Amino acid sequence: MDKINQTFTSEFLLLGFSGYPKLEIMYFVLILVMYLVILTGNGVLIIASIFDSRLHTPMYFFLGNLSFLDICYTSSSVPSTLVSLISKKRNIPFSGCAVQMFFGFAMGSTECFLLGMMAFDRYVAICNPLRYPIIMSKVVYVLMASVSWLSGGINSIVQTSLAMQLPFCGNNVINHFTCEILAVLKLACADISLNIITMVISNMAFLVLPLIVIFFSYMFILYTILRMNSATGRRKAFSTCSAHLTVVIIFYGTIFFMYAKPKSQEFPGDDKLQTSDKLISLFYGVVTPMLNPIIYSLRNKDVKIAVKYLLNQKAIQ
């Protein structure tokens, strides 16, 4: 028992999609293209929200934070995934795995809170428009974003610390393409009850509570919109919420599949199930950050105008 407790794994081996060698080049090209779209799309939104005065509002401040978060999250895992796909180098140092796990959990937790804050912002804007400048002052919305980042970071420190102090007893093969926390916990040769308990608490705090805020915010928004006499006003209100609601559905739909499904459904020998888990994680980790700027650009007139203005300014220079 003492030998087991003293076991230290210096590195992990990420299997990724090694079971499908003929598809790895296709995955490499696909993930690379999506990563470039993520950097470009979210980068443009950040620049637009900073330099266009028309976007200096709470909603676009939160959107800029969301775009920065998506860039940080994907940059913590996608480059190493691309390297492993093209070079077959699948090992990752213990410290590198811890960093990947920290950023993955921190960014996911922060995004949950940010989406809840954005829903509250839309509720105040539509249901209490006259009091909106007072309730959502600059101090308030900066504090809201800061709380989201800080709480996400603290949650990730707790989860990562608990996971990485576990003994791994020589089994260092992670059946995933990143150091995803659930995949790492499967390798532990010790009791992970504390990890499970803290993860359940984390799910309640960072998944369920923001979702409750989002749900009730949109119930009040829908009630207010249906009471509007002007068809133009109703369309405008719907258009300001549709992009956020679309992102919420995609984000929460994917993350619930990953972290809120019954773990009893997982069997180590079920390759198809493990592959589906990887694809769901890929969708959450790459596709969702890629879709966010596209959704907000296509469904938001202010963003379209700001982006066109910036592009025209660049063309003139």
Side-chain angles (χ1 to χ4, degrees):
M1 193 70 181
D2 290 334
K3 290 182 179 178
I4 290 176
N5 288 334
Q6 290 172 5
T7 300
F8 179 76
T9 301
S10 60
E11 64 178 15
F12 291 100
L13 184 67
L14 300 170
L15 288 185
F17 294 107
S18 58
Y20 305 90
K22 294 182 180 179
L23 296 177
E24 286 191 325
I25 295 299
M26 184 190 75
Y27 283 130
F28 173 82
V29 174
L30 186 63
I31 294 173
L32 177 61
V33 170
M34 289 192 291
Y35 182 53
L36 293 176
V37 172
I38 289 168
L39 294 178
T40 305
N42 287 290
V44 168
L45 277 180
I46 292 171
I47 294 171
S49 65
I50 292 173
F51 291 104
D52 195 309
S53 58
R54 289 167 294 189
L55 302 185
H56 289 175
T57 64
M59 183 175 73
Y60 297 111
F61 175 77
F62 289 129
L63 180 55
N65 275 261
L66 194 63
S67 294
F68 179 70
L69 181 149
D70 285 337
I71 290 175
C72 290
Y73 175 70
T74 53
S75 296
S76 70
S77 60
V78 170
S80 62
T81 301
L82 293 173
V83 170
S84 68
L85 286 171
I86 199 69
S87 69
K88 313 302 179 187
K89 182 184 177 183
R90 305 185 189 280
N91 58 309
I92 181 171
F94 186 88
S95 58
C97 189
V99 170
Q100 259 193 16
M101 193 184 300
F102 168 78
F103 276 102
F105 225 97
M107 298 302 107
S109 303
T110 303
E111 184 160 359
C112 289
F113 267 25
L114 279 177
L115 290 174
M117 302 292 187
M118 293 171 77
F120 177 76
D121 171 71
R122 291 299 84 206
Y123 156 73
V124 177
I126 293 172
C127 301
N128 296 282
L130 297 179
R131 297 181 62 196
Y132 181 71
I134 300 172
I135 297 174
M136 295 300 294
S137 64
K138 186 173 182 179
V139 173
V140 171
Y141 67 74
V142 170
L143 182 62
M144 289 167 69
S146 301
V147 168
S148 298
W149 284 96
L150 183 61
S151 57
I154 292 173
N155 180 47
S156 185
I157 289 172
V158 172
Q159 299 295 340
T160 304
S161 300
L162 289 174
M164 301 314 284
Q165 71 181 5
L166 292 169
F168 294 100
C169 306
N171 183 12
N172 67 337
V173 180
I174 300 176
N175 193 7
H176 215 278
F177 53 85
T178 64
C179 285
E180 199 271 333
I181 191 165
L182 295 180
V184 173
L185 288 179
K186 290 178 183 179
L187 304 182
C189 56
D191 183 20
I192 60 170
S193 299
L194 180 60
N195 301 79
I196 298 300
I197 291 170
T198 56
M199 193 167 291
V200 169
I201 296 172
S202 174
N203 284 345
M204 293 296 294
F206 289 89
L207 287 177
V208 179
L209 289 182
L211 194 58
I212 291 173
V213 172
I214 292 168
F215 176 78
F216 282 105
S217 294
Y218 276 104
M219 287 298 100
F220 285 117
I221 288 171
L222 182 62
Y223 176 74
T224 303
I225 290 175
L226 293 177
R227 293 181 60 196
M228 291 180 179
N229 296 322
S230 168
T232 304
R234 285 196 296 269
R235 281 196 299 270
K236 185 176 180 181
F238 272 122
S239 66
T240 60
C241 296
S242 59
H244 175 257
L245 196 55
T246 303
V247 170
V248 166
I249 292 170
I250 294 172
F251 176 80
Y252 270 96
T254 308
I255 206 169
F256 266 110
F257 269 111
M258 288 174 58
Y259 293 111
K261 67 179 181 179
K263 295 293 120 184
S264 59
Q265 293 180 3
E266 297 183 359
F267 302 95
D270 195 337
D271 293 336
K272 289 184 178 179
L273 184 58
Q274 290 174 354
T275 302
S276 68
D277 286 345
K278 293 178 190 177
L279 292 175
I280 292 171
S281 181
L282 178 66
F283 187 90
Y284 166 72
V286 182
V287 179
T288 303
M290 181 189 70
L291 290 178
N292 285 352
I294 296 173
I295 292 169
Y296 278 103
S297 298
L298 291 177
R299 310 221 28 152
N300 193 297
K301 189 181 293 184
D302 292 334
V303 173
K304 286 182 184 178
I305 294 171
V307 171
K308 286 180 180 178
Y309 175 77
L310 288 175
L311 293 175
N312 289 335
Q313 288 292 104
K314 188 175 181 180
I316 293 173
Q317 292 176 358

